[in-house]
């Protein structure tokens, strides 16, 4: 939030820093709920809320990776990245993310409040469909990067933000791989057949739960924060078509205009 506010004050708009702050707040809420649930183990509402937040918080990171990869694709292949099909397709994918979250919440609540085996089986199918879609969504940033680099280079290729494209690509690939590991672990656990309580599988241990969820998420958060992705992936406001990254980037920002104006006034007063 400190980085977001400092950027905002100097006219450097980067909404994804605010999204990372929202992700951190969601994780704090998740762990608070889990601590409360550990002390009140028979409270079903706390159990439901804690499990929902475990699956819901990381969705913001999934979306951030998709947006970062999309900017790389639009930079290297503007004719594809800015195509209307890609733009409307992205909106559809975001809508499906929201739908998957609603499906998980509804099926989780319903399965914990019913003893009907048929209903519980249907809820499991819904959860599997939603979790599988989230796994597919985490793979899309890698697909966008692959398209950006495998197709022939375009003469209208643009640049954006600070740093080279190689470092930007490495950040997106590493962050996406960690997200795939998180989503893949959740999908694998849910697709695996149920095990008796007396003979749990290795993936049912507390260590696996915390490593494949919170530890990997801390790694992603640290990667994006300490590499200053707010500077590397910043694009000019109002970029909606090919050429906006370069044309708008060449325009001086408001801060530089104001500083130059102050310098001119200062020099004029000295001469006077």
């Amino acid at each position: 939030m400190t980085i977001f506010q400092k950027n905002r004050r100097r006219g450097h708009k980067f909404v994804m820093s605010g999204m990372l702050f929202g992700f951190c707040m969601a994780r704090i809420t998740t762990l608070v709920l889990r601590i409360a649930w550990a002390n009140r183990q028979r409270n079903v509402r706390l159990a439901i809320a804690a499990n929902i937040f475990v699956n819901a918080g990381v969705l913001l990171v999934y979306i951030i990776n998709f947006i970062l990869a999309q900017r790389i694709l639009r930079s290297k292949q503007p004719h594809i990245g800015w195509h209307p099909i890609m733009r409307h397709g992205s909106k559809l994918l975001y809508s499906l993310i929201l739908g998957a979250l609603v499906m998980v919440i509804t099926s989780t609540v319903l399965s914990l409040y019913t003893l009907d085996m048929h209903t519980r089986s249907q809820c499991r199918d819904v959860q599997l469909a939603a979790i599988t879609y989230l796994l597919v969504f985490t793979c899309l940033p890698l697909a966008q990067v692959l398209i950006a680099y495998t197709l022939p280079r375009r003469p209208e290729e643009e640049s954006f933000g600070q740093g080279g494209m190689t470092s930007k690509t490495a950040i997106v690939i590493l962050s996406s791989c960690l997200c795939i590991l998180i989503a893949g672990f959740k999908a694998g656990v849910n697709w695996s057949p149920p095990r008796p309580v007396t003979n749990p599988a290795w993936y049912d241990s507390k260590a696996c739960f915390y490593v494949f969820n919170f530890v990997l998420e801390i790694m992603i958060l640290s990667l994006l924060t300490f590499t200053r992705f707010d500077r590397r992936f910043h694009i000019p406001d109002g970029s909606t078509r090919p050429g906006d990254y370069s044309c708008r980037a060449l325009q001086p920002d408001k801060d530089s205009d104001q500083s130059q104006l102050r310098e001119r006034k200062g020099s004029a007063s000295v001469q006077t």
Side-chain angles (χ1 to χ4, degrees):
M1 178 52 65
T2 301
I3 295 175
F4 176 74
Q5 292 296 339
K6 285 185 176 181
N7 287 335
R8 185 181 62 83
R9 291 191 187 101
R10 63 186 182 89
H12 183 91
K13 183 180 178 182
F14 195 76
V15 180
M16 282 179 283
S17 292
M19 293 174 64
L20 272 190
F21 172 75
F23 167 66
C24 294
M25 295 302 296
R27 275 298 167 252
I28 291 173
T29 305
T30 302
L31 296 176
V32 168
L33 289 172
R34 291 187 64 82
I35 292 172
W37 179 30
N39 288 276
R40 297 169 177 81
Q41 298 184 8
R42 296 187 178 181
N43 192 319
V44 180
R45 293 182 178 179
L46 277 177
I48 293 175
N51 289 326
I52 288 174
F53 269 91
V54 168
N55 294 313
V58 74
L59 297 183
L60 291 174
V61 180
Y62 295 169
I63 295 174
I64 288 175
N65 282 335
F66 184 85
I67 296 175
L68 298 182
Q70 188 180 59
R71 292 184 178 182
I72 292 177
L73 178 62
R74 287 175 174 176
S75 172
K76 297 188 71 65
Q77 305 289 340
H79 65 295
I80 296 178
W82 290 105
H83 196 278
I85 294 179
M86 296 292 291
R87 299 178 63 179
H88 295 303
S90 300
K91 296 179 181 178
L92 177 61
L93 292 173
Y94 297 148
S95 301
L96 293 176
I97 283 279
L98 179 60
L101 178 60
V102 173
M103 289 166 59
V104 170
I105 294 175
T106 305
S107 58
T108 300
V109 174
L110 184 59
S111 63
L112 292 176
Y113 278 103
T114 183
L115 296 176
D116 187 2
M117 296 306 297
H118 178 67
T119 302
R120 294 172 70 101
S121 177
Q122 289 181 325
C123 291
R124 172 178 166 79
D125 293 340
V126 171
Q127 292 175 359
L128 290 176
I131 291 175
T132 303
Y133 169 72
L134 294 179
L135 175 59
V136 174
F137 186 84
T138 57
C139 298
L140 294 180
L142 296 182
Q144 293 187 87
V145 173
L146 183 64
I147 294 174
Y149 278 89
T150 53
L151 294 180
R153 296 187 61 177
R154 306 285 297 187
E156 63 270 20
E157 182 176 328
E158 304 176 70
S159 60
F160 63 93
Q162 300 179 4
M165 189 61 67
T166 303
S167 60
K168 296 183 179 73
T169 305
I171 292 171
V172 172
I173 291 176
L174 182 56
S175 180
S176 299
C177 289
L178 292 175
C179 286
I180 291 173
L181 189 56
I182 295 173
F185 177 78
K186 292 180 179 179
V189 169
N190 284 273
W191 276 100
S192 300
R195 297 282 293 268
V197 179
T198 56
N199 184 27
W202 64 270
Y203 47 77
D204 291 324
S205 64
K206 290 183 179 180
C208 288
F209 174 79
Y210 283 101
V211 168
F212 284 96
N213 285 280
F214 304 126
V215 172
L216 294 180
E217 290 173 1
I218 291 174
M219 294 173 62
I220 296 172
L221 179 64
S222 301
L223 173 68
L224 296 179
T225 303
F226 293 113
T227 56
R228 295 307 303 267
F229 84 119
D230 58 300
R231 295 177 179 176
R232 294 178 183 273
F233 290 91
H234 178 258
I235 61 173
D237 293 341
S239 299
T240 57
R241 61 184 183 275
D244 281 355
Y245 285 1
S246 299
C247 294
R248 295 177 183 270
L250 294 175
Q251 298 177 0
D253 55 21
K254 296 180 180 179
D255 293 339
S256 61
D257 288 343
Q258 293 176 356
S259 61
Q260 291 177 4
L261 182 60
R262 286 194 296 267
E263 291 177 359
R264 291 175 182 176
K265 288 182 178 179
S267 60
S269 61
V270 170
Q271 292 175 0
T272 304

